[in-house]
Each structure stands twice: as C-alpha cells, then as structure tokens.
Amino acid sequence: MALKSTIYKANLSIADIDHGYYADHALTLARHPSETDERMMIRLLALALNAHELQDTCGGDGTLAFGAGLSDPDDPDLWLKDFTGQTRLWVEVGQPEDKPLTKACQKADAVRLYCFSHSADVWWKGIEGKLTRLDKLQVWRVPTEASQELARMAERSMQLQATVQDGAVTLSGDTGSVHIELTRWR
C-alpha cells in the first residue's frame, strides 16, 4: 500500500520590503512521504522569496502555486503562471540533474533553483559547468544551518511571517525565527 502525502497548512504573511509586496497567503502543502521537513520548508521559503513576482511579472493577474514536486519529476516545486497559462517562473528545490533544469528553461520564462544541505557545495562543483548555457536559470544557496533551523519550525498548522529586506529573509513563527542570507551561485 502506497503512503499518502501529509497535509500541512500555513498562513504566511509576506512583507517584501525590497519589492514593495505585502500580502497574506493561505497555503496547503502536501508533503510527499519521501520529503523531509527541511525540503518542505525550503519550498515555503521559495514561495516567500518569489511571491512579489505575482505583482512584478503578472501585474497581479497570475497564479503562484506549489507543483507536484517529488510526486511528478516533470512538475516544478513552485510555479507562477499568468492569466494566459504561460509559465512565467519555474522554481526547483534541492540538487537536481542538469537535464530537468534544461527542460524547465524551455518551458518557463525564468527558472530559480534553491539548493540546501551540507552536500550542496559538492553538487554545485560537479554540475556548474553543465549549466553555463542556461541563461534563464538562477541558482541560490540556502545556508545549511538556516535550512536546518527552518525544518525545526515545521508544524502541521503554521502561522508564519516572512520579511524580505536587503536581499535577506527572516521567517518567524510560534516556534521562533530564522534569518537567512542566501548566496547567489548563478
């Protein structure tokens, strides 16, 4: 018998000072049985960092949603589509191979990848050369300590606030807060 996804609910208030975006998002996250709390929270972080694209890219007329992620390798972890159905932003989390990233760059206007965990540096050294032609791709590194702190914030029902300022984000909730300064690798 196959295991089912675990459902998490998050009310996320975003104050993106860098982009002038302020909104509340009621979110449902389906956590695949093989997904860790750390990875799920990085998906949530990616949404907080990219929510401003609803305004900036789609003029408020678009949909920002979690994709099937681990359940379907051809689906992003997070995507932004405009009112015509065009995929404007494709977001991946983790350390994927180069081929899925190449396909994503063919399907979307922009692709962002958020890497985390202690093995991300080794992964990047091995794949960096294969990604040189992908002009649409941005690669961001979430510090390992910060991603582990995020994992400790995971609860089945979460009330979270994300403040984005000067390129960094602070995610706060009932269990504490985490300040994250990402590094852009590409």
Side-chain angles (χ1 to χ4, degrees), residues 8 29-47 66-78 90-97 100-101 112-117 142 144 146-154 158 171:
Y8 287 74
L29 293 100
R31 193 182 120 207
H32 188 274
S34 66
E35 184 175 38
T36 63
D37 285 344
E38 184 178 20
R39 187 180 191 285
M40 180 189 68
M41 293 301 287
I42 296 295
R43 287 193 295 135
L44 194 62
L45 172 69
L47 186 137
F66 293 112
L70 292 176
S71 298
D72 182 353
D74 295 328
D75 213 24
D77 289 308
L78 177 72
W90 182 294
V91 177
E92 290 289 338
V93 168
Q95 300 167 26
E97 298 291 324
L101 291 172
R112 295 198 181 119
L113 171 62
Y114 293 91
C115 305
F116 63 98
S117 90
V142 179
T144 302
S147 67
Q148 290 171 348
E149 286 181 49
L150 281 176
R152 289 190 281 277
M153 293 178 71
M158 298 178 274
L171 197 64

Coordinates of all heavy atoms in Angstrom, one line a residue, residues 8 29-47 66-78 90-97 100-101 112-117 142 144 146-154 158 171:
Y8 N 0.0 19.9 5.3 CA 0.4 20.9 6.2 C -0.4 22.2 5.8 O -0.5 22.4 4.6 CB 1.9 21.2 6.2 CG 2.7 20.1 6.8 CD1 2.9 18.9 6.2 CD2 3.3 20.4 8.0 CE1 3.7 17.9 6.8 CE2 4.1 19.4 8.7 CZ 4.2 18.2 8.1 OH 5.0 17.2 8.7
L29 N 0.3 22.7 1.9 CA 1.5 22.0 1.4 C 1.3 20.5 1.6 O 1.0 20.0 2.7 CB 2.7 22.4 2.2 CG 3.2 23.8 2.1 CD1 2.7 24.6 3.2 CD2 4.7 23.8 2.0
A30 N 1.4 19.7 0.5 CA 1.3 18.3 0.5 C 2.8 17.8 0.6 O 3.5 18.0 -0.3 CB 0.6 17.7 -0.7
R31 N 3.1 17.2 1.7 CA 4.5 16.7 1.9 C 4.5 15.2 1.5 O 3.9 14.4 2.2 CB 4.9 16.9 3.4 CG 6.4 16.7 3.5 CD 6.9 16.8 4.9 NE 7.5 15.5 5.2 CZ 7.6 15.0 6.4 NH1 7.2 15.6 7.4 NH2 8.1 13.8 6.6
H32 N 5.2 15.0 0.4 CA 5.4 13.6 -0.1 C 6.1 12.8 1.0 O 6.9 13.3 1.8 CB 6.3 13.7 -1.3 CG 6.4 12.4 -2.1 ND1 7.4 11.5 -1.8 CD2 5.7 12.0 -3.2 CE1 7.3 10.5 -2.6 NE2 6.3 10.7 -3.5
P33 N 5.7 11.5 1.1 CA 6.3 10.6 2.1 C 7.9 10.6 2.2 O 8.5 10.4 3.2 CB 5.8 9.2 1.8 CG 4.5 9.5 1.0 CD 4.7 10.7 0.3
S34 N 8.5 10.8 1.0 CA 10.0 10.8 1.0 C 10.5 12.2 1.2 O 11.8 12.4 1.2 CB 10.5 10.3 -0.3 OG 10.1 11.1 -1.4
E35 N 9.7 13.2 1.3 CA 10.2 14.6 1.5 C 10.4 14.9 3.0 O 9.6 14.5 3.9 CB 9.2 15.6 1.0 CG 9.6 17.0 1.1 CD 8.7 18.0 0.4 OE1 7.4 17.8 0.5 OE2 9.1 19.0 -0.2
T36 N 11.5 15.6 3.3 CA 11.8 15.9 4.7 C 11.2 17.3 5.0 O 10.7 18.0 4.2 CB 13.3 16.1 4.9 OG1 13.8 17.2 4.0 CG2 14.1 14.8 4.5
D37 N 11.1 17.5 6.3 CA 10.6 18.8 6.8 C 11.5 20.0 6.2 O 11.0 21.0 5.9 CB 10.6 18.9 8.3 CG 9.5 18.1 9.0 OD1 8.5 17.8 8.3 OD2 9.5 17.9 10.2
E38 N 12.8 19.7 6.2 CA 13.7 20.7 5.7 C 13.4 21.1 4.2 O 13.3 22.3 3.9 CB 15.1 20.2 5.8 CG 16.2 21.1 5.4 CD 17.6 20.6 5.5 OE1 17.8 19.3 5.6 OE2 18.5 21.3 5.6
R39 N 13.2 20.1 3.4 CA 12.8 20.4 2.0 C 11.5 21.1 1.8 O 11.4 22.0 1.1 CB 12.8 19.1 1.2 CG 12.7 19.3 -0.3 CD 12.7 18.0 -1.1 NE 12.8 18.3 -2.5 CZ 11.8 18.7 -3.3 NH1 10.7 19.0 -2.8 NH2 12.0 18.9 -4.6
M40 N 10.5 20.7 2.6 CA 9.2 21.3 2.6 C 9.3 22.8 3.0 O 8.7 23.7 2.3 CB 8.2 20.6 3.5 CG 6.8 21.2 3.5 SD 5.7 20.5 4.7 CE 6.5 21.1 6.2
M41 N 10.1 23.1 4.0 CA 10.2 24.5 4.5 C 11.0 25.3 3.5 O 10.8 26.5 3.4 CB 10.8 24.5 5.8 CG 9.9 23.9 6.9 SD 8.3 24.7 7.1 CE 8.8 26.2 7.9
I42 N 11.9 24.7 2.7 CA 12.6 25.4 1.7 C 11.6 25.8 0.5 O 11.7 26.9 0.0 CB 13.8 24.6 1.1 CG1 14.9 24.4 2.2 CG2 14.5 25.3 -0.1 CD1 15.6 25.7 2.7
R43 N 10.7 24.9 0.3 CA 9.7 25.2 -0.7 C 8.9 26.5 -0.3 O 8.5 27.4 -1.0 CB 8.7 24.1 -1.0 CG 9.3 22.9 -1.8 CD 8.2 21.9 -2.2 NE 7.6 21.2 -1.2 CZ 6.3 21.0 -1.1 NH1 5.5 21.5 -2.0 NH2 5.8 20.3 -0.1
L44 N 8.5 26.5 1.0 CA 7.8 27.6 1.6 C 8.6 28.9 1.5 O 8.1 30.0 1.2 CB 7.4 27.3 3.0 CG 6.4 28.1 3.7 CD1 5.0 28.1 3.0 CD2 6.2 27.7 5.2
L45 N 9.9 28.8 1.8 CA 10.8 29.9 1.7 C 10.9 30.4 0.3 O 10.8 31.6 0.1 CB 12.2 29.5 2.2 CG 13.3 30.5 2.0 CD1 13.2 31.7 2.9 CD2 14.7 29.8 2.2
A46 N 10.9 29.5 -0.7 CA 11.0 29.9 -2.1 C 9.7 30.7 -2.5 O 9.8 31.7 -3.2 CB 11.2 28.7 -3.0
L47 N 8.6 30.3 -1.9 CA 7.4 31.0 -2.2 C 7.4 32.4 -1.6 O 7.1 33.4 -2.3 CB 6.1 30.3 -1.7 CG 4.8 30.9 -2.0 CD1 3.8 29.8 -2.4 CD2 4.3 31.8 -1.0
F66 N 2.2 25.7 -5.5 CA 3.1 24.6 -5.4 C 2.7 23.6 -6.5 O 1.6 23.3 -6.7 CB 3.0 23.9 -4.0 CG 3.4 24.8 -2.9 CD1 2.6 25.3 -2.0 CD2 4.8 25.1 -2.8 CE1 3.0 26.1 -0.9 CE2 5.2 25.9 -1.7 CZ 4.3 26.4 -0.8
G67 N 3.8 23.0 -7.1 CA 3.6 22.0 -8.1 C 3.6 20.6 -7.4 O 3.7 20.5 -6.2
A68 N 3.6 19.6 -8.2 CA 3.6 18.2 -7.7 C 4.9 17.9 -7.1 O 5.0 17.0 -6.2 CB 3.2 17.2 -8.8
G69 N 6.0 18.5 -7.5 CA 7.3 18.3 -6.9 C 7.8 16.9 -7.0 O 7.9 16.4 -8.0
L70 N 8.0 16.3 -5.8 CA 8.6 14.9 -5.8 C 7.6 13.9 -6.4 O 8.0 12.8 -6.8 CB 8.9 14.5 -4.4 CG 10.1 15.2 -3.7 CD1 10.3 14.8 -2.3 CD2 11.4 15.0 -4.5
S71 N 6.3 14.2 -6.4 CA 5.3 13.2 -6.9 C 5.4 13.1 -8.4 O 5.0 12.1 -9.0 CB 3.9 13.7 -6.5 OG 3.8 13.6 -5.1
D72 N 5.9 14.2 -9.1 CA 6.0 14.2 -10.6 C 7.2 14.9 -10.9 O 7.3 16.2 -10.8 CB 4.7 14.9 -11.2 CG 4.8 14.9 -12.7 OD1 5.8 14.5 -13.3 OD2 3.7 15.3 -13.3
P73 N 8.3 14.2 -11.4 CA 9.5 14.9 -11.7 C 9.5 15.9 -12.9 O 10.4 16.7 -13.0 CB 10.4 13.7 -12.1 CG 9.5 12.6 -12.4 CD 8.3 12.8 -11.7
D74 N 8.4 15.9 -13.6 CA 8.2 16.9 -14.7 C 7.5 18.1 -14.3 O 7.2 19.0 -15.1 CB 7.5 16.2 -15.9 CG 8.3 15.1 -16.6 OD1 9.5 15.2 -16.5 OD2 7.7 14.1 -17.1
D75 N 7.2 18.2 -13.0 CA 6.4 19.3 -12.4 C 7.3 20.1 -11.5 O 8.1 19.4 -10.8 CB 5.2 18.8 -11.7 CG 4.0 19.7 -11.7 OD1 3.9 20.5 -12.7 OD2 3.2 19.6 -10.8
P76 N 7.3 21.4 -11.5 CA 8.1 22.1 -10.5 C 7.7 22.0 -9.1 O 6.6 21.6 -8.8 CB 8.0 23.6 -11.0 CG 6.6 23.6 -11.6 CD 6.4 22.3 -12.2
D77 N 8.5 22.5 -8.2 CA 8.2 22.6 -6.8 C 7.2 23.8 -6.6 O 6.4 23.7 -5.7 CB 9.4 22.7 -5.9 CG 10.2 21.4 -5.9 OD1 9.6 20.3 -5.6 OD2 11.4 21.4 -6.2
L78 N 7.4 24.8 -7.4 CA 6.6 26.0 -7.3 C 6.6 26.6 -8.7 O 7.6 26.6 -9.4 CB 7.3 27.0 -6.3 CG 6.6 28.3 -6.1 CD1 5.3 28.2 -5.3 CD2 7.6 29.2 -5.3
W90 N 9.5 29.1 -12.9 CA 9.6 27.7 -12.5 C 10.6 27.6 -11.4 O 11.7 28.1 -11.6 CB 10.1 26.9 -13.7 CG 10.2 25.4 -13.6 CD1 11.0 24.7 -12.8 CD2 9.4 24.4 -14.3 NE1 10.9 23.4 -12.9 CE2 9.9 23.2 -13.9 CE3 8.4 24.5 -15.3 CZ2 9.4 22.0 -14.4 CZ3 7.9 23.3 -15.8 CH2 8.4 22.1 -15.3
V91 N 10.2 27.1 -10.2 CA 11.1 27.0 -9.1 C 11.4 25.6 -8.7 O 10.4 24.8 -8.5 CB 10.5 27.8 -7.9 CG1 11.5 27.7 -6.7 CG2 10.3 29.3 -8.2
E92 N 12.6 25.2 -8.6 CA 13.0 23.9 -8.1 C 13.8 24.0 -6.8 O 14.4 25.1 -6.5 CB 14.0 23.2 -9.1 CG 13.3 22.8 -10.4 CD 12.4 21.6 -10.2 OE1 12.5 20.8 -9.2 OE2 11.5 21.4 -11.1
V93 N 13.7 23.0 -6.0 CA 14.3 22.9 -4.7 C 15.2 21.7 -4.6 O 14.8 20.6 -5.1 CB 13.3 22.9 -3.5 CG1 13.9 22.6 -2.2 CG2 12.5 24.2 -3.5
G94 N 16.4 21.8 -4.1 CA 17.3 20.6 -3.9 C 18.5 20.7 -4.8 O 19.1 21.7 -5.1
Q95 N 18.8 19.5 -5.3 CA 20.0 19.3 -6.2 C 19.7 18.5 -7.4 O 20.1 17.3 -7.5 CB 21.1 18.7 -5.3 CG 21.5 19.5 -4.1 CD 22.4 18.7 -3.1 OE1 23.1 17.8 -3.5 NE2 22.3 19.1 -1.9
P96 N 18.9 19.0 -8.3 CA 18.5 18.2 -9.5 C 19.7 18.0 -10.5 O 20.7 18.7 -10.4 CB 17.4 19.0 -10.1 CG 17.7 20.4 -9.7 CD 18.4 20.3 -8.4
E97 N 19.4 17.1 -11.4 CA 20.4 16.9 -12.5 C 20.2 18.0 -13.5 O 19.3 18.8 -13.4 CB 20.0 15.6 -13.2 CG 20.2 14.3 -12.4 CD 21.6 14.0 -12.0 OE1 22.5 14.2 -12.9 OE2 21.9 13.6 -10.9
P100 N 16.7 18.0 -16.2 CA 15.4 18.6 -15.8 C 15.5 20.1 -15.8 O 14.5 20.8 -16.1 CB 15.2 18.0 -14.4 CG 16.0 16.8 -14.3 CD 17.2 17.0 -15.2
L101 N 16.6 20.7 -15.4 CA 16.8 22.1 -15.4 C 16.8 22.7 -16.8 O 16.2 23.8 -17.1 CB 18.1 22.6 -14.7 CG 18.1 22.3 -13.2 CD1 19.5 22.6 -12.6 CD2 17.1 23.1 -12.5
R112 N 14.3 29.3 -11.2 CA 15.1 29.6 -10.0 C 15.3 28.2 -9.2 O 14.3 27.5 -9.1 CB 14.5 30.6 -9.1 CG 14.5 32.0 -9.8 CD 14.2 33.1 -8.9 NE 14.2 34.3 -9.7 CZ 13.2 35.1 -9.8 NH1 12.1 34.9 -9.1 NH2 13.2 36.2 -10.6
L113 N 16.5 28.0 -8.8 CA 16.8 26.8 -8.0 C 17.3 27.2 -6.7 O 18.2 28.1 -6.5 CB 17.8 26.0 -8.8 CG 18.4 24.8 -8.1 CD1 17.4 23.7 -7.7 CD2 19.5 24.2 -8.9
Y114 N 16.8 26.6 -5.6 CA 17.2 26.8 -4.2 C 17.8 25.6 -3.7 O 17.2 24.6 -3.4 CB 16.0 27.3 -3.4 CG 15.5 28.6 -3.8 CD1 14.5 28.7 -4.8 CD2 16.1 29.8 -3.3 CE1 14.0 30.0 -5.2 CE2 15.6 31.0 -3.8 CZ 14.6 31.1 -4.7 OH 14.2 32.3 -5.2
C115 N 19.2 25.6 -3.5 CA 19.9 24.5 -3.0 C 20.1 24.6 -1.5 O 20.2 25.7 -1.0 CB 21.3 24.4 -3.6 SG 21.3 24.4 -5.4
F116 N 20.2 23.5 -0.8 CA 20.4 23.5 0.6 C 21.1 22.2 1.0 O 21.3 21.3 0.1 CB 19.0 23.6 1.4 CG 18.1 22.5 1.1 CD1 18.0 21.4 2.0 CD2 17.3 22.4 0.0 CE1 17.1 20.4 1.8 CE2 16.4 21.4 -0.3 CZ 16.3 20.4 0.6
S117 N 21.4 22.0 2.2 CA 22.0 20.8 2.8 C 23.5 20.9 2.7 O 24.1 21.6 1.8 CB 21.5 19.5 2.2 OG 22.2 19.0 1.1
V142 N 21.0 28.2 0.0 CA 20.5 28.4 1.4 C 21.5 27.8 2.4 O 21.8 26.6 2.2 CB 19.1 27.8 1.6 CG1 18.6 28.1 3.0 CG2 18.1 28.3 0.5
T144 N 23.2 25.8 5.2 CA 22.8 24.6 5.8 C 22.2 24.8 7.2 O 21.2 24.3 7.5 CB 24.0 23.6 5.9 OG1 24.5 23.4 4.6 CG2 23.6 22.3 6.5
A146 N 20.7 27.4 8.4 CA 19.4 28.1 8.3 C 18.4 27.1 7.8 O 17.2 27.1 8.3 CB 19.5 29.3 7.3
S147 N 18.7 26.2 6.9 CA 17.7 25.3 6.4 C 17.3 24.3 7.5 O 16.2 23.9 7.6 CB 18.2 24.5 5.1 OG 19.3 23.7 5.4
Q148 N 18.3 23.9 8.3 CA 18.0 23.0 9.4 C 17.1 23.7 10.5 O 16.3 23.1 11.1 CB 19.3 22.5 10.0 CG 20.0 21.5 9.1 CD 21.4 21.2 9.5 OE1 22.0 21.8 10.5 NE2 22.0 20.2 8.9
E149 N 17.4 25.0 10.7 CA 16.5 25.8 11.6 C 15.1 25.8 11.1 O 14.1 25.8 11.9 CB 17.1 27.2 11.9 CG 18.3 27.2 12.7 CD 18.8 28.6 13.0 OE1 18.0 29.5 13.3 OE2 20.0 28.8 12.8
L150 N 15.0 26.0 9.8 CA 13.6 26.1 9.2 C 12.9 24.8 9.4 O 11.7 24.8 9.7 CB 13.7 26.3 7.7 CG 14.0 27.7 7.2 CD1 14.1 27.8 5.7 CD2 12.8 28.7 7.6
A151 N 13.6 23.7 9.3 CA 13.0 22.3 9.5 C 12.4 22.2 10.9 O 11.3 21.6 11.0 CB 14.0 21.2 9.2
R152 N 13.0 22.8 11.8 CA 12.5 22.7 13.2 C 11.3 23.6 13.4 O 10.5 23.4 14.4 CB 13.6 23.2 14.2 CG 14.7 22.1 14.3 CD 15.7 22.4 15.5 NE 16.7 23.5 15.2 CZ 17.8 23.3 14.5 NH1 18.1 22.1 14.1 NH2 18.6 24.3 14.3
M153 N 11.0 24.4 12.5 CA 9.8 25.3 12.5 C 8.5 24.6 12.0 O 7.4 25.0 12.1 CB 10.0 26.6 11.8 CG 11.0 27.5 12.5 SD 11.3 29.0 11.6 CE 9.7 29.9 11.9
A154 N 8.7 23.4 11.3 CA 7.6 22.8 10.6 C 6.6 22.2 11.6 O 7.0 21.5 12.5 CB 8.2 21.7 9.7
M158 N 0.7 26.2 10.7 CA 1.7 27.2 10.9 C 1.2 28.6 10.7 O 0.5 28.8 9.7 CB 2.9 27.0 10.0 CG 3.6 25.6 10.3 SD 5.1 25.4 9.2 CE 4.2 24.7 7.7
L171 N 12.1 34.5 8.6 CA 10.9 33.8 8.7 C 10.6 33.6 10.2 O 11.5 33.0 10.9 CB 11.0 32.5 8.0 CG 9.7 31.7 7.6 CD1 8.9 32.6 6.7 CD2 10.0 30.4 7.0

